[in-house]
Amino acid sequence: MKYAPRRDVWLSAVIWSCVLLLVLAGLSPLAVEGAGLIGGTLICLFCLACAGFIAWLWIGIGYVLRQSELIVRTGPFAKTISLDGITKVRRIRSWMSSAATSSRRLELTYGRYDFIHLSPLQEEKFLAELKSRCPQARFE
């Protein structure tokens, strides 16, 4: 079962503003007279690559609950967590960098000391599914 992330409006504005600024910064050396062709092109490519990577990270966030594992995808990165290893799930508010795109999050503790923050759009449905698949976990 696939879950989309909840996204805070202010955070979306910050991310897309950064992407836009990088695109404009990348294109500006090509528009300015006196910028070298090679240098301007390299700056353009670097800025556009950074903008694309940030956009990919933002757009590519999603959570997939499979029969025995949870897959957390953030752009090109994916983390697989065994559902048997989840020990605690709790609601939190946090600004910490993570695979959550909202300050309203779920903190999943797994393994011995590991945790991850998620922000599924359909939080109640996600929690109900997680409860049914993780009877050993403590839900707060």
Side-chain angles (χ1 to χ4, degrees):
M1 195 166 241
K2 199 171 189 176
Y3 292 90
R6 173 189 300 120
R7 298 182 196 274
D8 285 347
V9 173
W10 71 269
L11 192 54
S12 293
V14 168
I15 294 295
W16 289 114
S17 295
C18 289
V19 169
L20 179 63
L21 284 173
L22 279 166
V23 168
L24 292 175
L27 295 176
S28 67
L30 300 178
V32 174
E33 188 176 323
L37 181 63
I38 294 174
T41 303
L42 289 176
I43 290 171
C44 179
L45 291 175
F46 178 75
C47 288
L48 293 179
C50 288
F53 184 69
I54 291 170
W56 187 10
L57 288 175
W58 185 255
I59 292 169
I61 292 179
Y63 318 113
V64 179
L65 260 176
R66 292 204 175 145
Q67 193 59 38
S68 62
E69 61 191 12
L70 169 65
I71 300 169
V72 179
R73 182 163 293 285
T74 307
F77 309 108
K79 174 97 175 142
T80 302
I81 300 168
S82 171
L83 295 180
D84 294 337
I86 296 175
T87 56
K88 184 169 75 169
V89 179
R90 67 184 183 124
R91 288 183 165 107
I92 63 166
R93 286 201 177 265
S94 174
W95 303 102
M96 189 168 74
S97 176
S98 69
T101 53
S102 172
S103 60
R104 286 181 39 207
R105 303 169 176 200
L106 297 175
E107 182 180 73
L108 277 66
T109 304
Y110 62 96
R112 189 162 184 166
Y113 300 110
D114 298 319
F115 67 91
I116 192 165
H117 292 174
L118 311 174
S119 59
L121 184 59
Q122 297 174 314
E123 186 175 296
E124 294 304 322
K125 187 176 177 183
F126 181 84
L127 281 172
E129 191 67 32
L130 205 57
K131 282 179 185 178
S132 70
R133 295 184 191 196
C134 301
Q136 78 285 356
R138 189 174 78 229
F139 288 80
E140 298 178 2

